[in-house]
Amino acid sequence: MDRNKNKNVAFYTLGCKLNFSETSTIARSFENEGFNRVDFSEVADIYVINTCSVTDNADKRFKTIVKKAQKKNVDAFVIAIGCYAQLKPEELAEVDGVDLVLGATEKFKITDYLNDLTKNDFGEVHSCEIEEADFYVGSYSIGDRTRAFLKVQDGCDYKCTYCTIPLARGISRSDTLENVLSNAKEISEQGIKEIVLTGVNIGDYGKGEFGNKKHEHTFLDLVKSLDKVEGIERLRISSIEPNLLKNETIEFVAQSNTFVPHFHIPLQSGSNDLLKLMRRRYMRELYIDRVEAIKKAMPNACIGVDVIVGFPGETDARFLETYNFLNELDISYLHVFTYSERPNTPAAEMDGVVSNKVRKKRSKMLRGLSAKKRRAFYESQLGNTLEVLFEGENKEGFIHGFTENYVKVKMPWNPNYVNTLHKIKLTKIDEDGLVRFDFAENPVAAV
């Protein structure tokens, strides 16, 4: 450990909340070995890049980030981990400046590979067969943000035709309930007010909890147990498949003291024909049913939607089916993903390829619809008194925060409000589309 005392390490994370939780845990393993963690913009001896493979853009960004690291320190040891590192290790190893590439299981033993930090002419690869990624490593992010990302599940047994995540992360497996609760307590003891539950397919929680396929606990068991952990002000469910979001969970969240009325539910397409081609496990009718169940139990709930545009076979008629479906649905915002072909997926071999020009046009249309939906949702919340958790960043003289139902609020910067909860009456929307709050007009009630 003493030999690492003066060595600096920096991290960069691409992709999802799950990646952020794992980067944070891996960073703590470096600190435990005596390394000094610094920001990625600073000079470091080691740069660790946690990669994503969901979009082409994330793949391309990797090379740009390696160049940034080299600009800071041309002699730095550069390590690639994460989904792209598991899927395309040789490709990453060939990127100029990369010294080490670690796969899905190796990344959690990263400090074992650091006996020699001499720059390599070619990146060294340590990557398992994905079938070997069958054990669980718990993770959570802490210290990076006002809210913590708590990993409860990893991997996926679904076979969606566009997705590489099962190839990058392996089978569905879960943390033990005991360990999740222990991690949640550790987070709450750090004074963090909000925990976001994350995983690849968190509704599948309980599968593989003790190394077997049997469900020892369900997602509802997890939610009920976390609700009892003292010291946590807020719990948020990040993303959950519509077929795994049960009425019992919705009903429990509706009366919970800590779980907030915010759901993010992947749809991917509003066309049943395309949902079949994607091998999704539901039809649009079930999605409508889930949205209606949430809104009935929690009228002010925020509902976010994932949607893919440009999937093979998405004709004009099928796209309009999706657009109209979303337009009529009582949802709050969209995350729009432009389909990109991924190697070793059935969708990459399908007929009915949509041109890039059409993909971009449709993506723009749905992003416009998302802005309209978000604005309508924010307007529906004006006049309500909600609880805002303020973040820690000064953005152009403003401090930002989120209400329990995910309305973004801004007010003039005041460092005293960082990581604090306040009841605020929402009164007006600013020209940038955010709810604006001013001290002069309304008193702030601390929670």
Side-chain angles (χ1 to χ4, degrees):
M1 280 179 71
D2 284 346
R3 66 191 170 90
N4 301 330
K5 200 165 133 187
N6 297 316
K7 290 197 176 77
N8 289 345
V9 59
F11 298 85
Y12 197 104
T13 306
L14 289 160
C16 62
K17 295 179 178 77
L18 180 56
N19 270 7
F20 276 98
S21 75
E22 291 182 343
T23 297
S24 194
T25 295
I26 289 164
R28 288 195 293 278
S29 75
F30 271 88
E31 288 164 357
N32 292 340
E33 293 288 332
F35 287 89
N36 177 40
R37 184 179 180 181
V38 299
D39 191 79
F40 202 84
S41 62
E42 297 177 49
V43 175
D45 301 287
I46 301 169
Y47 290 94
V48 180
I49 304 166
N50 194 351
T51 63
C52 168
S53 69
V54 171
T55 64
D56 275 333
N57 189 37
D59 297 358
K60 287 165 189 163
R61 280 183 65 198
F62 173 76
K63 290 178 184 174
T64 310
I65 295 155
V66 172
K67 282 178 186 167
K68 270 187 191 171
Q70 287 186 299
K71 271 186 185 173
K72 285 290 168 191
N73 181 4
V74 72
D75 297 320
F77 197 79
V78 178
I79 306 171
I81 60 173
C83 291
Y84 191 32
Q86 174 64 35
L87 289 170
K88 298 283 185 73
E90 306 297 339
E91 205 172 286
L92 287 193
E94 286 170 12
V95 173
D96 186 40
V98 174
D99 299 291
L100 180 64
V101 180
L102 299 178
T105 60
E106 291 78 10
K107 65 188 173 188
F108 294 110
K109 300 175 284 190
I110 189 168
T111 54
D112 294 350
Y113 295 93
L114 302 180
N115 292 324
D116 182 6
L117 295 180
T118 311
K119 291 292 286 177
N120 297 318
D121 290 335
F122 300 99
E124 191 179 313
V125 173
H126 294 275
S127 182
C128 66
E129 292 298 316
I130 198 58
E131 290 74 24
E132 294 169 40
D134 57 359
F135 59 90
Y136 187 87
V137 177
S139 303
Y140 61 84
S141 70
I142 207 163
D144 302 323
R145 300 166 178 238
T146 309
R147 61 180 78 91
F149 299 135
L150 173 58
K151 173 182 167 185
V152 300
Q153 183 273 344
D154 200 352
C156 189
D157 292 340
Y158 286 12
K159 299 288 186 285
C160 302
T161 54
Y162 52 81
C163 188
T164 56
I165 297 301
L167 301 173
R169 285 190 168 269
I171 59 170
S172 178
R173 55 209 188 273
S174 308
D175 203 350
T176 64
L177 187 58
E178 184 185 12
N179 198 47
V180 172
L181 297 177
S182 170
N183 285 342
K185 285 189 185 103
E186 280 182 34
I187 292 167
S188 73
E189 284 162 8
Q190 299 287 323
I192 288 173
K193 303 281 194 297
E194 180 174 310
I195 293 176
V196 182
L197 304 186
T198 185
V200 176
N201 187 359
I202 65 171
D204 206 23
Y205 177 80
K207 187 183 279 186
E209 185 182 346
F210 294 101
N212 56 44
K213 280 288 181 186
K214 201 174 81 168
H215 273 74
E216 296 293 333
H217 295 98
T218 64
F219 183 68
L220 181 60
D221 293 334
L222 173 73
V223 165
K224 284 182 172 177
S225 300
L226 280 167
D227 198 51
K228 293 173 188 164
V229 176
E230 287 182 20
I232 301 170
E233 301 277 354
R234 283 182 177 181
L235 285 155
R236 201 177 290 273
I237 297 167
S238 61
S239 179
I240 185 165
E241 293 284 308
N243 52 301
L244 295 175
L245 178 57
K246 306 298 184 191
N247 283 334
E248 295 82 4
T249 303
I250 294 168
E251 285 157 14
F252 183 81
V253 169
Q255 56 83 48
S256 163
N257 292 320
T258 50
F259 276 90
V260 295
H262 174 207
F263 295 85
H264 194 93
I265 314 168
L267 168 69
Q268 311 310 11
S269 176
S271 159
N272 280 344
D273 292 336
L274 285 181
L275 288 172
K276 286 172 190 167
L277 285 173
M278 292 174 171
R279 285 194 207 145
R280 301 293 285 159
R281 298 196 177 193
Y282 53 86
M283 293 289 102
R284 54 187 262 160
E285 289 74 19
L286 175 81
Y287 201 92
I288 294 168
D289 183 71
R290 298 297 77 208
V291 170
E292 287 177 349
I294 291 167
K295 285 295 186 175
K296 186 180 175 188
M298 294 162 272
N300 289 319
C302 176
I303 302 175
V305 183
D306 285 341
V307 60
I308 295 171
V309 292
F311 188 81
E314 187 185 64
T315 59
D316 286 344
R318 284 171 174 171
F319 171 71
L320 283 173
E321 209 180 336
T322 295
Y323 186 94
N324 293 330
F325 179 75
L326 290 165
N327 192 30
E328 289 162 20
L329 212 54
D330 192 2
I331 54 165
S332 315
Y333 64 90
L334 308 174
H335 279 176
V336 183
F337 297 90
T338 305
Y339 172 75
S340 58
E341 285 78 2
R342 315 307 290 159
N344 303 315
T345 59
E349 309 298 321
M350 286 181 180
D351 296 331
V353 174
V354 178
S355 73
N356 285 329
K357 187 180 173 185
V358 171
R359 290 183 209 186
K360 281 180 185 169
K361 181 185 163 194
R362 290 175 183 171
S363 178
K364 191 176 176 183
M365 284 176 70
L366 282 181
R367 288 179 207 280
L369 178 61
S370 179
K372 187 181 104 174
K373 286 282 185 185
R374 193 184 295 271
R375 175 82 187 201
F377 177 64
Y378 281 15
E379 285 176 351
S380 76
Q381 297 306 299
L382 294 180
N384 291 347
T385 298
L386 298 171
E387 208 171 272
V388 179
L389 174 60
F390 285 104
E391 310 269 323
E393 206 176 337
N394 183 343
K395 289 185 181 173
E396 297 172 2
F398 287 95
I399 186 169
H400 294 81
F402 286 92
T403 64
E404 58 267 49
N405 61 346
Y406 216 56
V407 174
K408 194 171 184 181
V409 173
K410 70 173 194 179
M411 70 177 189
W413 170 255
N414 184 331
N416 296 328
Y417 284 84
V418 172
N419 194 32
T420 61
L421 283 157
H422 298 272
K423 281 201 182 297
I424 283 177
K425 187 174 183 181
L426 307 186
T427 54
K428 65 175 178 181
I429 298 173
D430 224 353
E431 62 272 7
D432 59 2
L434 302 185
V435 174
R436 170 74 178 259
F437 185 83
D438 289 300
F439 292 105
E441 295 172 27
N442 298 291
V444 179
V447 176

